[in-house]
Structures are given as structure tokens and as C-alpha cells.
Amino acid sequence: MIMVMFKRIVLFCISVCFYQGASASIISTAITAETYSVSYPEPDKGERVHDTGMEFASVLSRSQIYDTGVYALAYVEANALGFALLSMGKYKASAASGSAAISYQLENNSLVAQQFSLRFSPLSGYLKAYCADPENLFYEDTGSRLPCIGEDFAVSSYNARITLNDELIWSSMAEVRSGNNGVDVVTDGAVLGAFDAETHSYHWGTQWFELPLGVFDPNEQFNLVYSVDVLTDGVTNLQGATACEPFNCPYADNVALVDYGFRQLDDDNDSLFQFSSSALPVDVPPKLGAIFIGLFLLVGRLKKT
């Protein structure tokens, strides 16, 4: 009996010193999605929709003044695989915004400290903002687009962030703003795309990022959150009208669009958040290593006797 226990102790010591396996365990996920849309002539009728889930959440809101062309539409969808789709559009005197958040609670379920990393993709998307559509081709998404005049402006933007235990580790922001001085484009953090002056749009394709998350001890837990906010907004004058009813106001064109997180035809990865880990090299002192090797050989001899 003593010999059996001795063998088990030796084998356990060897496994602890030379163990190199295991990966992160996702303990839980939480998804939130929210949209807001409003037509400025009737701000009290703005619609805000909120949804939560452990694996999936989606929301849709819409605001419209019939027979005027004033409307806003907002849709957000997100799931536990890291997929966050946010699609907004506003036309004339309106606005739409939305947000999505995906939260992961993870744990190092190995016997040794692990170096964790994350591979992820925000997928593709675009921003557009302009004030005039003289060819009335808004619905076909082609034709002339002109900057705003006077105090009018149109703006579309996104702001994406990844935090680890409430500390920012990755971010990307872009904004397209059309005003009386032309079109301004502002970016911060990771730059995903480029601006096309002909279409007043900022486009980006699918790309992947690798993020080191740090070293975590056995059974240590950590929280990672991916959040995205998008906005379409603008101001449009009444083209000289001093007073009018909402249904009779000659609102000018004022267009802002956002599509964030769209899959392209060759995007065949189901999971957009891919966690991986690797064990740290174990520095075994030469004398201690020699002792374990000696114990291992002793066990072998004892087996023969």
C-alpha cells in the first residue's frame, strides 16, 4: 500500500512539472442590444427597444412621418460567437442609433498558469453621410451626393471597444460628417478602412486581429466585453419656410447610413471570437529535475522487484 502511494506521489510531481495542456473555459456569456429611432418633428414618438440574452439578442425600431419622406430605421443583432451586426439609416429630419455588447466570463481551467490570446474580426461595413440627392436615387444607393449647406450637417459613426477586466485593450472609431465645408472623416484606434470621396462613404473589408490577453493562474477568472455603438444623425433646415405643420414641411434631403459587422461572401468562420492558450515554459531547477528523474527511475526498479 505504501509503495502504491509512493508511486502516485512521484507521478503527480512529474506531471505538475512538465504539464503543458488545456485552454480557457467559457463560464458564461451575456448579450445586450438596443436601438433608438426618432423623427425630429415628432420627438415624443421616438422608439427605443432593448433586448438581452445569454446566447442571442436582436432589436428593431423605426420612426416615420408618412407622406414626408422623414424616417429612421435601426436594427441590431448580436450572439455569443462574437457576431455584432448594427444597421442604421436616417433620411431627412430624423436620427437613429444603436448599441450591442457581448460579454464573456472565462476561466483558466488548467493546472498551471496559461498565456491567453484572442483572435477576432469586426467583419466588414461602411459609413455614409450627405445632404443632397438631386437625382432622387437614394433608394437605389447610386447617383449624386452633395455636401450640406448653411448650418445643416449629416453624420454617421461607429465606436467599437474590447475591454479585459474593465481595461481597454482594443478600440476602433470612425466618423463621416458632411457639413458646409465639405466632408470630414475622423478615425481613432485601429483604422479599418478608407474614405471614398465620390460616394461620401467610408468602407472596410473583413480583417482579423490578434490580441494577447495576458497570463492567468489556475482557476483564475477574467471578463472580456466587446461593445459597439453606432449613430446616424443630422440637421436639415426648412428651405426658407418660417412656419409649417410637420406633415407639410419641405424637409431637405439629409442622409446618414451605417452598416457594421456584415459578412462578406468569403467569411466562412462561424466564431468571430476565438480564444486560445498555451502553457508557460516551466523552469525546473537542475537539482530538482535530477531528483524527479531519480524518483522516476526508482519507481521503475521497484516495479521489477
Side-chain angles (χ1 to χ4, degrees):
M1 181 67 179
I2 296 176
M3 187 61 62
V4 172
M5 291 298 296
F6 177 72
K7 293 178 182 179
R8 289 178 179 177
I9 292 172
V10 172
L11 293 174
F12 173 78
C13 292
I14 294 173
S15 66
V16 169
C17 288
F18 298 102
Y19 179 78
Q20 295 288 326
S23 61
S25 173
I26 298 179
I27 299 174
S28 63
T29 58
I31 317 297
T32 62
E34 184 173 280
T35 59
Y36 176 69
S37 59
V38 61
S39 296
Y40 287 132
E42 300 179 331
D44 57 323
K45 296 183 180 180
E47 183 179 26
R48 187 180 302 275
V49 185
H50 182 82
D51 187 31
T52 62
M54 297 181 63
E55 299 290 334
F56 177 84
S58 68
V59 286
L60 171 68
S61 64
R62 180 181 182 130
S63 181
Q64 182 174 7
I65 300 179
Y66 294 98
D67 299 324
T68 67
V70 176
Y71 77 88
L73 182 68
Y75 177 74
V76 173
E77 174 185 336
N79 64 34
L81 297 177
F83 176 70
L85 168 65
L86 299 93
S87 182
M88 311 284 137
K90 58 88 61 185
Y91 191 51
K92 297 190 175 182
S94 62
S97 61
S99 64
I102 307 171
S103 177
Y104 299 90
Q105 188 72 23
L106 301 103
E107 181 182 54
N108 177 9
N109 58 1
S110 70
L111 298 177
V112 297
Q114 296 273 312
Q115 170 72 57
F116 286 88
S117 61
L118 167 67
R119 182 175 184 264
F120 82 98
S121 173
L123 294 179
S124 65
Y126 69 88
L127 308 173
K128 290 186 180 182
Y130 53 93
C131 276
D133 185 14
E135 297 179 32
N136 197 28
L137 296 175
F138 170 74
Y139 293 101
E140 287 75 17
D141 198 30
T142 60
S144 301
R145 291 164 179 82
L146 303 176
C148 303
I149 59 175
E151 297 181 356
D152 290 4
F153 72 88
V155 61
S156 62
S157 67
Y158 77 83
N159 188 9
R161 302 166 303 281
I162 296 178
T163 60
L164 176 64
N165 293 334
D166 296 325
E167 295 290 333
L168 184 67
I169 61 173
W170 182 89
S171 66
S172 177
M173 184 279 288
E175 177 185 280
V176 175
R177 183 185 180 95
S178 178
N180 58 9
N181 292 323
V183 181
D184 294 322
V185 180
V186 178
T187 60
D188 190 28
V191 178
L192 301 184
F195 179 67
D196 182 352
E198 182 178 353
T199 61
H200 288 201
S201 61
Y202 177 90
H203 288 264
W204 66 93
T206 298
Q207 51 204 287
W208 289 84
F209 295 86
E210 303 279 349
L211 293 180
L213 301 181
V215 177
F216 297 91
D217 293 326
N219 301 318
E220 184 176 0
Q221 296 184 7
F222 54 99
N223 179 253
L224 188 138
V225 179
Y226 174 44
S227 60
V228 185
D229 298 306
V230 300
L231 170 70
T232 59
D233 200 356
V235 169
T236 176
N237 62 44
L238 298 180
Q239 296 179 328
T242 58
C244 60
E245 296 297 326
F247 291 92
N248 297 318
C249 290
Y251 293 105
D253 295 337
N254 189 288
V255 180
L257 305 170
V258 176
D259 277 341
Y260 180 99
F262 267 78
R263 287 187 180 274
Q264 296 177 319
L265 294 177
D266 55 350
D267 295 334
D268 55 359
N269 286 278
D270 291 331
S271 178
L272 301 175
F273 266 52
Q274 302 171 6
F275 296 98
S276 62
S277 66
S278 59
L280 299 176
V282 179
D283 295 327
V284 180
K287 290 185 179 180
L288 184 60
I291 291 174
F292 284 133
I293 293 174
L295 290 172
F296 183 76
L297 294 175
L298 178 60
V299 170
R301 288 192 176 186
L302 291 173
K303 288 182 178 180
K304 295 179 181 179
T305 59

